[in-house]
Amino acid sequence: MEEALAKIRPHTTSNLAHQKAPANLLQALESTFQEKHTDRTPTAYFAALITTLDGCIQKKETSLGDGDVLPAELYLLALVAPFVPPPVIQTNLNTLLSLTAPLFPALMAHAPPLRSQLTLYNSVFRALDKSQLDVSAVRQSFASILQLCLDPRPKVRKKAADIVKDVLSFPPSPLIRHPYAQRVAEWAHIALQQASSGALPKSKSSGKGSDTSAAETAIHLLAFLRPVLPNLPLDAIPPITTTLLTLPRLGNPYLSQAAYSILSDLFTASTTTGTASAIEQIPAVLNAVLESPPAKADNSISPSWIRVLGDAMFAYHVADASACAAEFNKVWKTVWSYFETKHPPTRKAVAESLALLTRCITPSIVKDSISDGEAAKSPLRSIISQITKALDSLAFASAMQELLSVISALISNLGVRVDPAKSTTATEALLMPLVSKIADLRVQKGFEHKEAADAVLSTAMRVVGPAVLLAAIPLNLEPSDRQAGKEPRAFLLPMLNQPHPSLLGHFVSYFVPMSERMFNLQQKADSEGRQSEAKVWSVLVAQIWTGFAGYCHAPSDIKTALTPAFSQLLSQLLYSQPDLRPPVLRGLKALIESNKIIASQVDIDMGESSRSDNAITPEQASQNLTFLKTQVESWFAVFFNVFGSVDRDNRGMVGDVIGVWAGLAEKQDIAKAYRKVVDLFRQSLQQSDNGNTTAMTQDLLILLLPFLDAQDVAALFSTCLVQEVLCHKDNGVQKRGYKILAKLLENGKVKEDALQTFQRLDELSVGLAPAAKKDRFILLSLLILRVPSESLHIIPSLIPEAVLGTKEPSEKARSAAFELIVAMGQKMSQGGVVKRSMVEGMDEDGAEAQASINEYMTMVAGGLAGASPHMISATVTAVSRLVFEFRESIDAQMQTEIFTTLLVFLSSANREIIKSTLGYIKLAIHTLPIELLRPHLKELVPALLAWSHDHKNHFKAKVRHIFERMIRRFGWNDVYQAAGEDQAAKVLVNIKKRKERAKRKRAREDDDDDDDDEEATKGKVPTGDAFEDVLYGSESELDDSDEDEQVSRPTGMAGPKRKGIEQGVRLRVDDDEPMDLLQGVASRLTNAQANRRRKPGQDAGRFKTDADTGKIVINEDEESDIEVSSRKAAKDVAGSAYRESMTSVDGFTRGPNGRIKFNKDTKKRRRENEDEDGDVEMADGAATATKKNKRPTEPKLGHEFKAKRAGGDVKKGGVDPYAYMSLSQAAKKKGRNRTGIAGKH
C-alpha cells in the first residue's frame, strides 16, 4: 500500500485535475494523522476515507468532474481497500453500502469513478462471509455489476468481468462453490438466449457505444463467459452449451469462432479435471456441430469448428469409449474433408483434431481390423488406405507436413499389443507398409519434408523397436548393399537412442557384428590413405554405439544378453575407445535407472500393461536388479580403472555411472571398494609428487560418501582433517579435502566436536590456497550450525576471514563468504552467550554478552576501524548484506547508527571504500523505511553530489541512479531542497529533465511501434539472488548521452513482416524426365519460388563454346571487368596518394628536424574530403558533373524581402540590402565579412 500511495503524493503540483485532487486529499488525511499521532495503517486510511465520503454526501457535493472530491475519495478507497483486514470491512458493511450503492446510477455516465467503485466492490465481495452475501443491498450491487459486464466501454466491461471472475474464484471458506455461481449461470444463459434471438436490451450507460449490435454484445458476453465457466455449477453447463450452438446462426464469423472455441475449452476442461459437466451433452453437441459445417472456403470459422469436433470426440472417448467408437468413422471423414484447403491454420486444426481422433481408437476397432484381413474394408483399414493414397495425391500436396504429423500420431496410438501373450503391436500389424512408403519418400532427393518424415520414423522406432523396423526398412550401409544399388538409410541410426521395446540381444546379434565390420573397413581405409572414407566409417560406428542406450531401457533379456563376452567387449571399449566411451556409459547407467523406476511401480495400472513402452513388469525389473547386483564388484573395478585413466575434465560422466551403480550395490561391496580407495589415497599422500592420483582418489571418495556407514564416515573425517591434505601443495587436493569434510557434515553421520574442529581448521589456515577458499567457507558455514549456544565466542574469530572473503576474485568464493556471514548472523539471532573473556584479543575479565543480531552487527562493524582500505571496503560490503538479510530483525536505532556511520565514508578519498559505500546507500534507499532515511537527506544528498561528476569507476552513473531511486521514494521536492547550493542542485535538475525526456521518447517509440511484437527490454535480467538484484540488477532508465539520438529504422526491418506471405506449392520440373502426376508426386513438390531456383551450369551460357567439342572457350587476350577496374583504381591511388597525405585529415607532414606533424582535423578539411569522395562516386565520364556534397551558400542579407515571382526591385548584381530594412538592423550584421579600403578582409 505504501508503494501505491508514494506514487500519488508527488502529484500535488500536477497540472491535471484528476491527478491533483487525490494527491491533495491524501496530503490532508496524512496531516490529520500526524496531528492526532495516528499510525498510517490501512484501517486508519479506510476509516478516514469513509468519514470524508459521508461528509461529502451529506453536503451534497456529488459532482463527478475531474477535479472534484468524490472521484478522488472513491479512487483512494479503491486503492486502500485490498489492504484492509476483512473483519473491518465486514463490520462497516452497512455504512459502506449506504454510502456507495446509491452512487451507481450517477456513476454510469462517468467511467473513471465507476471503475474505482468497481475496484472497491471487488475487495468488499471477497471479504464477506456467507451470511452477509445474502443481504439484499449486496445482491443488488452484484446484479448491477453483472449488467456492466456487457457495457460498451471496454475498460468498464473488463473491470466488471474481472470482479465476477474473482468473486466466483474465491468462495467463502466453508463452501467449495460460491453462492452467486448459480445466479451468474442463469444470467449468462438468459443473455445468451437473447443474443441468439437478437433481443438483447440496450445498455443503460451513455456513450457512443450504447447502440451496439446484438452480435457485438454477444461477443462481449462470450469474452466474459470464457474465464467464468469453470466456476459455474455443473448442472448449469448443459443449457449454456446448447445455447452456444445457436450463436453461429447469427452469421458473425468472430462470434461463431468464439462460441466454438469456448466449447473446445469446455470439453478440454472436462477431460483434464475429471468433471462430467459437459459429458452428457456430447452426443447432442456432436450432432449439432456436424449438421452445421462451415464452407471449406470459410477460413475464419473452420479452424474453431474442427477443433470442437476433436475435443468433443476425445471427451466422449473418456466418458464412454464404446459409444464414441460408433461415431469415430463419421467424424473422421468429416474432419478429413477439410485437409485439402490452402489455409494453413485450417490444416493445422485438422491435424490436431485427427491426432485427437487417433486417441479414440479402441482395442475392439483394432481387433476387427486385424481379424478381417487386408482385403476387408474395416474403418481403420480404410483410414490407413486413405492416408496412403494421400501421400501421392496432388490435392494434399500443401498439407504434407500436417499429414505426416497425423501418421505419427496414428503410429503412436496404435502401439497396443494385439495379443498380451505376444509382443506384436497393432502398428506392426497394420502400419508397416505405410512406414516403408514414408522411408522410401525420405531417400528421394526431391522430397522436402525430411524432418517431418524423420519424426514419423522415429515414432515408429520407439513403438515397434529397431528389430521390427529394420527388418522392413534395411539400413543398406555395407559395401555389398551399395554394390547392389540399394539406397543407404543412415538417418535411421540416430533414432536408436530412445527407449524402445526391442531386446538387448538384438543389439548384440545385429549391431555388434556390424560395428566390427565397419571398424575393420575403417582401419583398412586408414591404412590405405583414404582419410575421408575412414572418417565416414568411424562416424557410422559412433552412431551405432550411440543407440546402445536405447536398448538398455529395461530389456527383459538382461540375463541372457549381458554375457561375460559382451561385458568384456564393453570393458575394452571403455578402456581403448575414448569416442565410444560416453554412449557405453550412458547405456550402463540407463540399465540401472530404468529397472529401478519400473521396480518402484508396484501399483501399476493393469490397463496400461498392454502398452509396448512398459515391456516388463515390476517383478521382472526386480529380477533384473538382483542379477545386476551380482555384477557390481567386477564393474566397480572397470569403472575405477577408467576413472583413473581419464583426465579431470572427462571424469564427470564416469562418476555419474559409479554413483548409480553404487546405489545398487550391497554394503559389503561398498565397504570393499571404499577400503581399496582409502588405501590408495593414503599411499598417494605419502608420495610428495603425486597430486593427480591423490585428487583422483578423493573424487572417488566423494562419489562413495552417501553409501558409507557411520564408522567409515568418522574414519574418513579424521583422515582428511590433517595437514597433509588441507595444506597440500596441489590446489585440487585442498579443494577436495574441504569438499569431503563439508559433504560428511551434510550427511549428518559425523559426531565430531565443532569447537575442536574449528581450532584444528584455524591451525591449518596457514597453507590455504586461494582456490580452496570457497569450499572452506562452505565447511565453516556447516560447522557454525553445530556450535553450542554457550560457545558463540568462536564467531568473532571467524568474522575477519569471512569479511575479507567477500572481496575474493572468484564469484563462487564471494557467494560462499556471504553465506558464511549470514549463517553466523542467523546463529547469533537464535540467542546464546558470547563469552568475551574467551575471545582472542579481549580482556580476560570481560563480561558476557547476550547473542543477538544487534550484537553481531556491532562485531562486524568493528572492521570499519581496519588499517587498510581493503578491509574497510569489505566490511561495508558485509554490513550491506547483513542489513538486507536481517532488515526485519535489526532495530531502528541500530539501522540509524549504521547509516550515519557509513555516511561518513562518502567523504573518503579512497575509491574502493567509496564504491562499497555507494552500494550500501543504494541498498538502504531501496530497503530501509522512508521515516528512517528522511531526516538524513540533508547530509546524504550533498555527499552524493560530490561524486556526481566523477567518471572513474562509473561513479557518475551510480550516483545518478541513486538519485533516481531517491526521487521515486522521497519525491522531487524533498531531494531538491536537501541539495543546498545552486550549483549542486543543477545536477538534480538535469536528472529530472533527462527523465522527462526519456519518458517522452519512450512514449513516442510506443506510439511508433504499436505493431512491433519484439520490444527490447532495458536493464539486467534478474539473477535469482535478491541481494545481487538490488545491488547490481537495475540500471538507470536514462541514456548516457545528453542528446536524444535520432535512430532511423533501417529499411530492411520491414522484411520480416513479409514472412507470413505464403508462397504457393509448386511442381519441380525436370527437363530430362517426364512428369507422372499419379504416383510419386510428393517428391516433386517444392515451396521455393521457381524463378529463384538456380540450375547447375546456368552461368555457362555467358561463355563462348567450341562448336565441335562443346567446351568453354576463354580468350586470354581479353581483359575481364575486374582487371580493368583494378588497374583503373591503382592508377587513381598512385596519382592522389601524395596529395592526400599532405591535405587530408589522416595525412601528416614532416618538419625541418624530421618530426612528424599530423594534420589538424578541421571542418574545412573534412568538407574537402567529403567533396572529393563525392567526385569519385560521380566520376563516370561526365565532365560537367557537380559535387555531390556541395556546401550550401549562405542567403544574402534581406533575402526574405525578395519578390517570389517578379524580378523587380532587384539590382543586376543582386538585392540591395539597405533598401528594405532599418539602418540599425543592417548595422548589427555589418561587422561580418566587412571589406576594408585596401580590399582586404
Side-chain angles (χ1 to χ4, degrees), residues 77-285:
L77 264 176
L79 190 144
V80 173
F83 306 97
V84 178
V88 176
I89 295 180
Q90 294 173 4
T91 305
N92 297 274
L93 177 63
N94 292 331
T95 304
L96 191 63
L97 289 176
S98 63
L99 294 176
T100 58
L103 296 176
F104 267 112
L107 291 173
M108 289 297 178
H110 302 274
L114 178 59
R115 294 202 304 270
S116 300
Q117 173 118 326
L118 292 176
T119 306
L120 171 64
Y121 269 76
N122 192 355
S123 303
V124 171
F125 283 124
R126 293 177 61 176
L128 301 182
D129 57 17
K130 184 178 183 299
S131 60
Q132 291 176 318
L133 288 172
D134 295 331
V135 177
S136 60
V138 177
R139 298 175 68 87
Q140 289 174 3
S141 301
F142 189 78
S144 301
I145 293 173
L146 266 181
Q147 295 300 325
L148 287 173
C149 292
L150 300 181
D151 193 272
R153 294 166 291 186
K155 291 184 179 180
V156 175
R157 185 172 66 247
K158 185 178 186 304
K159 183 69 70 175
D162 289 342
I163 290 175
V164 176
K165 182 191 70 173
D166 293 342
V167 169
L168 296 186
S169 301
F170 298 97
S173 55
L175 303 178
I176 300 177
R177 197 172 299 280
H178 201 279
Y180 288 172
Q182 184 65 37
R183 184 173 183 178
V184 173
E186 293 173 358
W187 175 83
H189 183 218
I190 294 172
L192 280 174
Q193 285 182 332
Q194 293 175 347
S196 62
S197 62
L200 270 172
K202 301 294 184 184
S203 175
K204 296 180 181 179
S205 62
S206 62
K208 64 179 182 180
S210 59
D211 56 346
T212 53
S213 64
E216 290 179 357
T217 310
I219 291 173
H220 299 161
L221 182 60
L222 293 182
F224 157 79
L225 199 58
R226 184 187 298 273
V228 172
L229 268 178
N231 299 312
L232 297 184
L234 299 181
D235 55 354
I237 299 295
I240 292 178
T241 306
T242 305
T243 312
L244 281 173
L245 290 171
T246 62
L247 293 180
R249 299 173 186 171
L250 295 178
N252 188 303
Y254 184 82
L255 182 62
S256 304
Q257 180 184 359
Y260 288 136
S261 179
I262 288 179
L263 285 173
S264 297
D265 294 343
L266 198 60
F267 291 131
T268 304
S270 65
T271 55
T272 54
T273 59
T275 59
S277 57
I279 297 299
E280 59 188 25
Q281 293 290 311
I282 290 179
V285 171

Side-chain angles (χ1 to χ4, degrees), residues 472-659:
I473 312 170
L475 289 172
N476 299 334
L477 296 177
E478 302 193 45
S480 58
D481 299 324
R482 299 304 303 274
Q483 291 173 2
K486 298 178 181 178
E487 194 69 27
R489 298 189 179 96
F491 56 85
L492 293 174
L493 290 178
M495 302 175 189
L496 296 171
N497 189 21
Q498 57 179 333
H500 52 71
S502 291
L503 302 178
L504 181 59
H506 178 260
F507 184 85
V508 178
S509 61
Y510 184 83
F511 280 110
V512 170
M514 180 184 291
S515 66
E516 292 176 352
R517 293 193 296 271
M518 290 183 177
F519 183 75
N520 293 333
L521 291 171
Q522 175 195 348
Q523 297 293 326
K524 181 180 178 182
D526 208 355
S527 62
E528 296 178 358
R530 301 193 304 273
Q531 300 297 332
S532 58
E533 183 182 345
K535 182 64 178 176
V536 170
W537 293 119
S538 66
V539 169
L540 290 174
V541 171
Q543 288 184 341
I544 287 174
W545 280 99
T546 302
F548 172 63
Y551 283 90
C552 293
H553 282 274
S556 58
D557 62 337
I558 289 182
K559 298 179 182 179
T560 57
L562 198 61
T563 59
F566 185 54
S567 300
Q568 185 178 4
L569 173 64
L570 296 177
S571 305
Q572 291 176 355
L573 292 177
L574 291 175
Y575 286 133
S576 59
Q577 298 293 330
D579 295 337
L580 303 182
R581 189 179 294 142
V584 173
L585 290 173
R586 280 195 293 269
L588 293 173
K589 182 181 178 182
L591 207 59
I592 303 294
E593 292 178 339
S594 58
N595 280 287
K596 275 189 173 182
I597 292 173
I598 296 179
S600 63
Q601 299 173 354
V602 180
D603 300 328
I604 188 171
D605 186 8
M606 296 307 293
E608 292 292 326
S609 61
S610 63
R611 299 285 300 179
S612 61
D613 47 6
N614 281 338
I616 62 174
T617 61
E619 293 78 11
Q620 291 175 319
S622 301
Q623 295 174 4
N624 289 342
L625 293 176
T626 304
F627 170 74
L628 291 172
K629 283 182 181 179
T630 62
Q631 308 286 320
V632 167
E633 184 177 356
S634 57
W635 279 111
F636 264 175
V638 175
F639 293 149
F640 288 173
N641 291 334
V642 174
F643 192 86
S645 62
V646 300
D647 54 359
R648 294 184 181 182
D649 296 335
N650 296 324
R651 289 175 182 168
M653 183 172 290
V654 186
D656 292 342
V657 178
I658 292 175

Side-chain angles (χ1 to χ4, degrees), residues 643-644 651 674 676-685 690-704 716 733 736 740:
F643 192 86
R651 289 175 182 168
Y674 165 73
K676 289 182 180 179
V677 177
V678 167
D679 292 341
L680 183 60
F681 174 55
R682 290 170 178 163
Q683 292 175 9
S684 61
L685 283 177
N690 201 3
N692 290 334
T693 305
T694 307
M696 182 269 295
T697 52
Q698 285 176 309
D699 288 334
L700 288 174
L701 289 173
I702 292 173
L703 293 172
L704 296 176
L716 182 59
V733 175
R736 288 167 175 81
I740 289 174

Side-chain angles (χ1 to χ4, degrees), residues 881-987:
R881 177 59 187 265
L882 290 173
V883 167
F884 177 78
E885 197 73 31
F886 300 99
R887 55 189 179 276
E888 306 293 339
S889 306
I890 302 175
D891 56 29
Q893 182 180 357
M894 175 61 71
Q895 293 278 26
T896 304
E897 292 177 0
I898 293 171
F899 187 83
T900 54
T901 303
L902 295 185
L903 193 58
V904 177
F905 286 102
L906 278 179
S907 59
S908 173
N910 186 274
R911 292 184 174 276
E912 188 178 8
I913 297 176
I914 292 296
K915 184 177 180 180
S916 300
T917 308
L918 288 177
Y920 168 76
I921 297 296
K922 180 178 178 181
L923 181 138
I925 292 172
H926 180 276
T927 305
L928 299 184
I930 295 179
E931 296 78 10
L932 190 146
L933 297 177
R934 195 180 295 274
H936 304 286
L937 283 180
K938 291 188 178 299
E939 296 85 17
L940 175 60
V941 174
L944 288 173
L945 286 172
W947 294 98
S948 61
H949 299 288
D950 198 316
H951 290 273
K952 291 185 178 180
N953 301 99
H954 306 285
F955 282 169
K956 181 178 180 180
K958 291 179 181 178
V959 170
R960 190 173 67 203
H961 188 201
I962 290 173
F963 275 126
E964 290 173 26
R965 287 194 172 194
M966 290 175 67
I967 292 171
R968 283 201 294 266
R969 289 205 77 186
F970 301 103
W972 160 256
N973 292 331
D974 292 350
V975 179
Y976 183 75
Q977 291 172 2
E981 301 177 7
D982 294 339
Q983 198 67 24
K986 288 182 179 179
V987 176

Side-chain angles (χ1 to χ4, degrees), residues 386-497:
Q386 187 181 37
I387 293 175
T388 306
K389 293 177 181 177
L391 287 175
D392 288 332
S393 174
L394 268 178
F396 296 90
S398 58
M400 186 59 62
Q401 192 90 10
E402 292 81 7
L403 185 62
L404 291 173
S405 67
V406 172
I407 296 173
S408 181
L410 188 63
I411 293 172
S412 179
N413 291 297
L414 286 182
V416 293
R417 298 178 187 173
V418 180
D419 186 356
K422 299 179 182 179
S423 60
T424 304
T425 61
T427 302
E428 181 181 352
L430 297 173
L431 296 178
M432 290 314 295
L434 181 59
V435 174
S436 300
K437 184 176 184 60
I438 294 174
D440 294 337
L441 285 175
R442 170 64 176 78
V443 297
Q444 295 183 12
K445 294 180 180 179
F447 188 70
E448 291 193 345
H449 304 283
K450 293 186 177 181
E451 293 183 1
D454 285 343
V456 174
L457 295 174
S458 180
T459 304
M461 183 78 75
R462 174 174 53 83
V463 173
V464 302
V468 176
L469 190 65
L470 296 181
I473 312 170
L475 289 172
N476 299 334
L477 296 177
E478 302 193 45
S480 58
D481 299 324
R482 299 304 303 274
Q483 291 173 2
K486 298 178 181 178
E487 194 69 27
R489 298 189 179 96
F491 56 85
L492 293 174
L493 290 178
M495 302 175 189
L496 296 171
N497 189 21

Side-chain angles (χ1 to χ4, degrees), residues 58 358 479 676 739 865 947:
Q58 287 182 0
T358 59
K676 289 182 180 179
K739 188 177 292 185
W947 294 98

